[in-house]
Amino acid sequence: MTTGKGRERPALGDVDLSDLPAAALPQPDPAEVERRRAFASSLESRDFIARSAGSGLVKVVRPDPGLAPAAAPPVPPRRLRSEEPNFTVRLPEYVQQAVRLEAVRRKTTVRLLLLQALRDAGFEVHEEDMTDDRGIVSKLRSRNRRGDTP
């Protein structure tokens, strides 16, 4: 094997791992595991959540129908945004520039500007789809470039 500078490197051989110990970490005591499991289940009680939320220690809890307070008002289901396939339109360059400049002037996106124009022209556009999602899209793109998972 040669390196980029033309020097020879020895080839890597197989590594014998047979002399390693079987378990790298000590096995936990079953009584300790059961004690921790009982403690964790005690944290998910209705009383614990009420005390913690009332004192300001817990701000967000995972919604669980069994733990929800009886007086909580029903939350209407949130409507999801519509699927958004690409739609390409060929326009004269001066129109494209005017639309882009107007989007910059209004501090929004071309997509939102066009959706507003279509709504004003009488087309049905749902309110959930009228979003300026520049921040969301740019964050997802930067995560994908870095290899993070969303």
Side-chain angles (χ1 to χ4, degrees):
M1 174 189 286
T2 59
T3 63
K5 298 179 182 178
R7 295 182 297 203
E8 290 290 323
R9 277 193 196 171
L12 295 176
D14 290 337
V15 178
D16 181 20
L17 300 176
S18 63
D19 61 340
L20 291 177
L25 296 174
Q27 294 297 320
D29 179 28
E32 176 66 14
V33 171
E34 189 55 39
R35 186 185 70 77
R36 290 181 181 190
R37 186 174 290 130
F39 176 71
S41 66
S42 73
L43 296 178
E44 297 175 2
S45 69
R46 186 184 309 247
D47 295 334
F48 176 79
I49 291 175
R51 276 195 322 270
S52 300
S55 67
L57 295 174
V58 174
K59 304 272 190 247
V60 177
V61 294
R62 186 179 333 158
D64 182 2
L67 297 176
V75 178
R78 193 179 111 191
R79 185 179 166 148
L80 299 177
R81 283 177 51 178
S82 302
E83 191 173 326
E84 296 179 347
N86 286 338
F87 183 69
T88 304
V89 178
R90 294 173 53 96
L91 297 172
E93 188 173 350
Y94 67 92
V95 175
Q96 289 181 21
Q97 288 178 354
V99 170
R100 288 179 180 144
L101 286 173
E102 183 63 18
V104 169
R105 191 183 67 74
R106 292 188 190 182
K107 297 180 182 176
T108 187
T109 61
V110 171
R111 174 190 172 277
L112 186 57
L113 191 67
L114 292 176
L115 285 174
Q116 288 170 343
L118 288 169
R119 178 188 268 181
D120 293 345
F123 288 90
E124 178 184 356
V125 179
H126 298 140
E127 191 61 37
E128 302 80 37
D129 298 322
M130 299 290 291
T131 59
D132 182 353
D133 54 1
R134 287 174 293 182
I136 296 168
V137 172
S138 66
K139 286 177 187 173
L140 290 175
R141 285 184 185 150
S142 66
R143 284 182 186 163
N144 289 340
R145 278 194 295 262
R146 290 191 319 245
D148 297 348
T149 56

